[in-house]
Amino acid sequence: MRDYLKFYINGAWIDPVTPKTLDVTNPATEAVAGRISMGSAADVDAAVKAARAAFASYSQTSVAERVALLEAIINEYKKRYADMAAAITEEMGAPAVLSQKAQAAMGVGHLTTALNVLKDYRFSEQRGTTLLAKEPIGVCGLITPWNWPVNQIACKVAPALAVGCTMVLKPSELSPFSAQIWTEILHAAGVPAGVFNLVNGDGPTVGAALSSHPEVDLVSFTGSTRAGIEVARNAAPTVKRVHQELGGKSPNLILPDLDAAGFQKAVTAGVRGVMNNSGQSCNAPTRMLVPNSRMDEALAAAKAAAEATTVGAPDSGAALGPVISRNQWDKIEGLIAKGIEEGATVVAGGVGKPAGLDTGYYVKPTVLAGVNNQMTVAREEIFGPVLTILGYDTVDEAVAIANDTPYGLAAYVSGADAEATRKVASRLRAGQVNINSAAPDLMAPFGGFKQSGNGREWGEHAFGEFLEVKAVLGYAAKQA
């Protein structure tokens, strides 16, 4: 039983202004795994004031000092790696292997990427007699989700620290254990008091107070499009910068020129991409587009891949654990039922829990066929292990269907002809396009078009989110 009842403000663990606790549920067991304190606007104010006071000195630190700090954080993270993985498994129900090899690994990955970018980053350049200087934006409010908890913390905190910002983090109240360990890591690494602060709480209270606070210069939010709109509204009166990484309904185009083996491989990879992390990834390839002439082939491959996907307890060796909460389970089940009601055919999975898993928020790996792009399951982000398969007759039609969505976070395309596949990728309206199941790239910018948000995270592009550009005219004397 974890009791995390203090907030981290100005380099110390302190009690909340008003005591209020929340039980945190392990979604694999439905049992209470721990408690956290729930913050208030007064807690946020104290944290923001600490960050503001610390900004004066931390913003003036040298690159060498910040390099040393990131190196110290990485060293401390590695010491706590097993603790981090265990916390993510407990708070999310993520399979132990996924927590160890993917979830926890992303923390080290983003820290290391930020360190490497910082070493060579140009914070100023001279153009004629004018100096263009990139300076830290100030105090940052960071609001992170539950689905890839330390990934989203690290990809915001690491670049913010690297460029000289100070910050207040509000992690999801559904997955707060990893944020606690992250904070302990930063404290042990010697992050100066006030530079990083942690306040737990919910969106309507702590999130709103953080995004509306006049002393916060930037709010970086990852979560649903609905919540992102509220963050932007709260931020608008103070004209602060708002960075949003929001929802997705990513298309996955399987092109007709693939041979039988390549086609099966692409479909199988697409199914696995949806099922990973129990479908709880904003960039999951949830709309698979296949040629109508090869639909039977696609359905057979998708059915086999889905039915080969094991579901079970985090320590069972199963590929999928539960989804995060009863509310999410109800939403996913309702959308599967809605798809069937609107005419979709169940190829694999369907409503109800998998056999033998009555306790825990488990969902059957589900494939729905006979879907058109106007059905609810093709329009709304399900955020569970549910794939929809849509047919097309021409590549132009496939591209049109792919782009017919309010979202634009990611897109996927598989094809045999490299040039033709690249051309299709160039026509897809998404912030990140993956060709032929390419491996992740932590230096590639991550973010979306349209209602999937604005701004970019990961790698060098993340630095720009936390910087202001200052033009200093007359910095250099004119040449005689």
Side-chain angles (χ1 to χ4, degrees), residues 144-165:
T144 58
W146 47 261
N147 60 317
W148 285 88
V150 78
N151 170 74
Q152 287 305 130
I153 292 170
C155 76
K156 297 180 191 297
V157 173
L161 286 174
V163 304
C165 290

Side-chain angles (χ1 to χ4, degrees), residues 170-219:
K170 188 210 89 65
S172 171
E173 68 274 23
L174 298 180
S175 59
F177 300 160
S178 50
Q180 174 84 14
I181 292 171
W182 171 270
T183 305
E184 292 170 0
I185 289 167
L186 266 59
H187 181 77
V191 173
V195 170
F196 174 87
N197 305 272
L198 168 73
V199 178
N200 283 312
D202 60 22
T205 305
V206 172
L210 193 56
S211 55
S212 63
H213 200 290
E215 288 294 313
V216 170
D217 301 292
L218 170 148
V219 57

Side-chain angles (χ1 to χ4, degrees), residues 21-62:
T21 62
L22 176 74
D23 289 341
V24 180
T25 300
N26 181 327
T29 65
E30 301 185 40
V32 174
R35 294 185 305 158
I36 59 169
S37 288
M38 297 291 279
S40 64
D43 298 303
V44 170
D45 188 58
V48 171
K49 286 178 178 176
R52 175 58 62 194
F55 181 72
S57 57
Y58 187 68
S59 63
Q60 299 304 306
T61 55
S62 67

Side-chain angles (χ1 to χ4, degrees), residues 395-444:
V395 172
D396 286 344
E397 181 189 5
V399 171
I401 294 170
N403 290 333
D404 179 19
T405 172
Y407 299 110
L409 184 59
Y412 302 75
V413 57
S414 296
D417 183 282
E419 188 56 38
T421 305
R422 292 190 195 110
K423 186 173 182 180
V424 171
S426 73
R427 299 171 65 189
L428 298 175
R429 298 281 296 164
Q432 193 171 93
V433 182
N434 183 298
I435 293 177
N436 289 332
S437 301
D441 178 0
L442 292 183
M443 281 296 291

Side-chain angles (χ1 to χ4, degrees), residues 309-369:
T309 303
T310 54
V311 185
D315 60 356
S316 69
L320 266 63
V323 296
I324 189 70
S325 67
R326 178 72 195 210
N327 285 342
Q328 282 297 116
W329 189 90
D330 287 342
K331 174 192 171 187
I332 295 162
E333 293 293 312
L335 284 167
I336 294 172
K338 183 71 170 176
I340 296 168
E341 177 188 326
E342 292 182 353
T345 301
V346 176
V347 175
V351 296
K353 291 185 177 181
L357 293 171
D358 297 328
T359 300
Y361 309 124
Y362 295 96
V363 177
K364 295 175 185 175
T366 297
V367 176
L368 300 176

